[in-house]
Amino acid sequence: MTAPEADGLVSAYAAPEESDAEATLRPKRLSEFIAQHRVREQLELLLHGAMRRGSPPDHILLSGSPGLGKTTLAMIVSAELGVGLRLTSGPAIERSGDLAAILTSLSHGDVLFIDEIHRMARPAEELLYSAMEDFRVDVVVGKGPGATAIPLDVEPFTLVGATTRAGLLTGPMRDRFGFVGHLDFYEPAELEVLLHRSARILGVQVTPEGATEIAGRSRGTPRIANRLLRRVRDFAEVRADGVVDATVAKAALRVYDVDDLGLDRLDRAVLVALVDSFGGGPVGLSTLAVAVGEQPDTVEEVCEPFLVRAGLLARTPRGRVATAGAWRHLGRKPPATVSSGPAAPDLFSSEP
Ligand SMILES: Nc1ncnc2c1ncn2[C@@H]1O[C@H](COP(=O)(O)OP(=O)(O)OP(=O)(O)O)[C@@H](O)[C@H]1O
């Protein structure tokens, strides 16, 4: 998925230049896909059932935050079924004709992956309904009273739709998926397993303590864990003996400005501004954004989701407020007016 401002090391969005690095680390089969046991088991049943019957499985909708493995799962679905895969995204399909061209070029059983499916234009979405249901599309030729609809057949296929915002999907669209899977944030222990797997592929030696150090700062997100591993590997090779242990991981992540909770410079700047300049809030988003020299969109879409999930910032009707956890994370004593908040943030539970 593309980011509003994809840059930081701990951004869950993919940077364009890291697609090769990501491809190297992508699991190819369901058995290699780490964690997400419920979705994995359900998918396994769906795929094996379809294979036994010799027909394509129902359409699959995958929801979850960026970087949790939706694209990877779509690729795995096509690999497990042994069929072709076409990749596109909602925003890339500007006209329904673009989608008709893709649909009519699919071979029998192919998987069509549409990322950010909630961002597809309405006419294209309507065309997709009949393709999903009846394997048929009506392509309208001409305009006004002379316009004619030409029906075209589409080979039976499986649509895998991915969305970070399941709530934005229209009812008719959601109803056409026979399987809906939600990907949760990963536990640190699961990310440690993932990091050891990635380290093996990259040929870098990582100690258990080194993996723990990186996993704890990865915001529950495989994409971030793999990215931090690549940066820590650089440090280990240039400034140490190549082995990623806890000391090396800590020193590397200090250089890259990623703190114990996985906050980067901008996240901390937001908290520092809230606490030091605005007495902990409430303060409006635009004022906060000006205080840290960023666009409101960047603060809202890049920083805040994690700060909220980490229990450090609250969005209230009167504005943004620093929680007691935020004061403590910055090493300050929370004022008595701030409720004490959760003892430790629960970073890894995510509800759709
Ligand atoms: N369960 C997993 N096991 C191993 N690696 C994983 C897992 N989930 C994700 N990854 C790795 O994390 C990276 C990001 O995954 P992926 O591109 O599938 O995320 P996504 O949910 O599609 O993100 P976006 O919403 O931004 O498109 C990939 O390199 C992938 O290999």
Side-chain angles (χ1 to χ4, degrees), residues 1 22 26-27 33-34 67-72 115 186 223:
M1 181 180 169
E22 287 214 327
R26 261 185 222 291
F33 193 80
I34 288 156
L68 298 187
K70 300 180 295 298
T71 309
T72 305
D115 200 6
Y186 293 61
R223 170 171 291 135

Side-chain angles (χ1 to χ4, degrees), residues 1-2 12-14 21-23 25-27 32-36 64-73 113 115 164 183 186 194 197 222-223 226:
M1 181 180 169
T2 47
Y13 298 95
E22 287 214 327
L25 297 178
R26 261 185 222 291
E32 296 170 51
F33 193 80
I34 288 156
Q36 309 291 350
S65 290
L68 298 187
K70 300 180 295 298
T71 309
T72 305
L73 273 182
F113 175 64
D115 200 6
T164 49
L183 300 189
Y186 293 61
L194 182 138
R197 174 184 174 274
R223 170 171 291 135
N226 282 339

